[in-house]
Amino acid sequence: METLDSPSGVQKLISSDKNILTVHPKYLISDEEQQSLKQVTILPYVPTIDLQELDGASRPQAIEKLNRACKEHGFFEVVNHGVSEHLMESMLEVAKEFFQMPEEDKMHLYSNDFRKRTFLSTSFNATKEDVLHWRDYLRHPCHPLEDHMESWPSKPPSYREITGKYATKIRELTLKLLEAISESLSLEKDHIAKALGDQNQSMQINVYPPCPQPDLTLGLGAHTDPNCLTIVQHDEVPGLQIMKDGSWFDVPSLDGAFFVNIGDQLQVISNGEYRSLVHRAITNSTKRRISIPTFYTPSFDAEIKPAPLLVARNDHVPLYVPFTYRQFLDHFYSRSLHTNTLQHFEVHAAN
Ligand code: OGA
Ligand code: NI
């Protein structure tokens, strides 16, 4: 089938194939995963963090709410976030335009090499996976803007300008959230930002094309994000699912809010008080879906370890050994998508 085979053995974008009637066998998920797609309910409650409350006199209550959201759910939506509706819409629009361009305008960015700064790819780790994900994506770093913008797509013509503005606003939002999250753990306000070193920020545009067999495939399998915090804009097509207490839930439409989820690095820094969220994306047979996550990450050389104060709070037992983010990523990218890179860095694993 067209989708998979090219002379170099790498996969081609699925979003370019217009008439796919059945999925290639490489996309077929396990029986167990197929079963799990049938047992999903809509999330009854999405914790909401109002950034204006965090900025005002009600900060202590808002911090308490944030603590509960992070501890009990691993995610929240953020409203009054300071990113204008217009900018959010423009970002989504230019993302759509990028993927709608003919292949010759974008395939020069195609790569399966995660060391590249800016790349367009498909699935998750297409050359290492047994089962492929029904997704194409564009990823690039965003901070500092001037170091990276040259590597971003030059088409559509407004891509760099809109994305630059969007990334700047998302960074402001994230820094506020990181301060509040530090505070919610009783840490110094700047603890997390400092722990991340020269913080990196990268952005991704995920495209999930209509899939002829949504019962047999996943847009993105169950995983936790390897970074610290993820801030996601979704379009109006549902598809994100989260796991809570062993069950899968559909995340309802967010209507102008951002979806924020905890990643593995925050689980480590919080010494397990906050847990990274297990989530996945499903496909559907009629509508293309776009999501735009921003990943906030440590610098590659930052040494990540549980905050000493939180270790003390846990009877002086650190749950994780210190590691550099580079070591973590090497491990993360050495396999297909999964939920347990952190296990490798648990204290007992090192003994
Ligand atoms: C991701 C991710 C979910 C979505 O890109 O890491 O989990 O809804 N995306 O696209
Ligand atoms: Ni994710």
Side-chain angles (χ1 to χ4, degrees), residues 49 95 113 115-116 167 175 230 238 250 282 299 304 307 330 340 342:
I49 300 301
D113 182 356
R115 283 165 303 190
K116 282 212 143 159
L175 289 171
T230 306
D250 281 311
I282 57 164
S299 67
I304 301 299
D330 283 348
N340 60 2
L342 268 181

Side-chain angles (χ1 to χ4, degrees), residues 135 204 206 208 220 223 225 230 232 234 239-240 279-281 289 291 293 295:
R135 170 187 77 148
Q204 188 163 291
N206 294 319
Y208 305 95
L220 207 48
H223 68 283
D225 290 345
T230 306
V232 196
H234 295 276
L240 175 65
H279 55 288
R280 69 182 182 188
R289 173 171 175 261
S291 71
F295 302 117

Side-chain angles (χ1 to χ4, degrees), residues 178 182 188-199 302-303:
L178 288 182
S182 294
E188 293 290 331
K189 253 181 164 179
D190 59 357
H191 183 94
I192 297 174
K194 271 191 179 156
L196 302 182
D198 239 345
Q199 307 132 43
E303 190 191 55

Side-chain angles (χ1 to χ4, degrees), residues 17-284:
D17 279 288
K18 298 287 177 276
N19 294 310
I20 303 172
L21 297 177
T22 53
V23 301
H24 187 281
K26 278 215 96 176
Y27 287 93
L28 298 180
I29 55 177
S30 66
D31 289 349
E32 202 184 327
E33 280 179 308
Q34 287 179 34
Q35 280 307 316
S36 81
L37 283 175
K38 296 180 188 151
Q39 290 149 2
V40 179
T41 44
I42 184 111
L43 199 59
Y45 169 71
V46 180
T48 303
I49 300 301
D50 182 334
L51 211 67
Q52 270 170 19
E53 280 178 20
L54 268 177
D55 278 343
S58 47
R59 187 168 175 93
Q61 291 88 331
I63 295 278
E64 177 56 34
K65 208 166 157 190
L66 184 60
N67 175 272
R68 278 203 309 278
C70 293
K71 198 176 244 161
E72 293 167 18
H73 301 272
F75 68 89
F76 51 87
E77 63 171 346
V78 56
V79 298
N80 289 324
H81 42 61
V83 187
S84 74
E85 215 173 291
H86 175 70
L87 185 54
M88 288 177 79
E89 276 168 16
S90 306
M91 187 62 239
L92 207 50
E93 199 46 47
V94 82
K96 268 187 206 155
E97 281 171 30
F98 173 82
F99 274 94
Q100 276 163 1
M101 292 192 305
E103 283 210 353
E104 59 266 27
D105 284 340
K106 54 185 188 235
M107 280 315 269
H108 63 283
L109 294 168
Y110 189 91
S111 174
N112 285 313
D113 182 356
F114 294 119
R115 283 165 303 190
K116 282 212 143 159
R117 285 197 296 173
T118 294
F119 64 90
L120 173 67
S121 194
T122 192
S123 189
F124 163 69
N125 197 352
T127 53
K128 293 225 164 83
E129 296 169 310
D130 295 330
V131 177
L132 296 176
H133 307 261
W134 196 263
R135 170 187 77 148
D136 293 334
Y137 65 106
L138 171 72
R139 185 190 301 165
H140 56 66
C142 296
H143 183 77
L145 283 182
E146 54 282 10
D147 286 2
H148 300 297
M149 234 183 205
E150 282 297 305
S151 75
W152 297 357
S154 54
K155 285 187 192 171
S158 57
Y159 185 89
R160 291 182 182 175
E161 191 196 334
I162 293 170
T163 306
K165 283 188 187 153
Y166 183 81
T168 303
K169 293 304 280 182
I170 294 281
R171 186 173 189 83
E172 283 172 28
L173 166 64
T174 311
L175 289 171
K176 284 184 184 171
L177 288 174
L178 288 182
E179 276 193 6
I181 292 173
S182 294
E183 228 176 300
S184 76
L185 286 161
S186 320
L187 297 169
E188 293 290 331
K189 253 181 164 179
D190 59 357
H191 183 94
I192 297 174
K194 271 191 179 156
L196 302 182
D198 239 345
Q199 307 132 43
N200 288 328
Q201 176 184 349
S202 58
M203 229 179 90
Q204 188 163 291
I205 299 171
N206 294 319
V207 173
Y208 305 95
C211 175
Q213 293 174 298
D215 301 343
L216 308 180
T217 48
L218 273 166
L220 207 48
H223 68 283
T224 58
D225 290 345
N227 49 298
C228 179
L229 203 64
T230 306
I231 292 93
V232 196
Q233 178 180 189
H234 295 276
D235 70 3
E236 71 292 348
V237 183
L240 175 65
Q241 297 186 336
I242 63 115
M243 181 173 263
K244 185 161 166 42
D245 304 326
S247 302
W248 284 106
F249 293 91
D250 281 311
V251 176
S253 167
L254 293 172
D255 210 15
F258 286 100
F259 182 86
V260 178
N261 65 274
I262 288 178
D264 292 341
Q265 306 314 309
L266 192 47
Q267 179 165 332
V268 173
I269 293 170
S270 72
N271 203 34
E273 286 197 28
Y274 295 169
R275 315 213 38 108
S276 57
L277 179 73
V278 177
H279 55 288
R280 69 182 182 188
I282 57 164
T283 61
N284 75 77

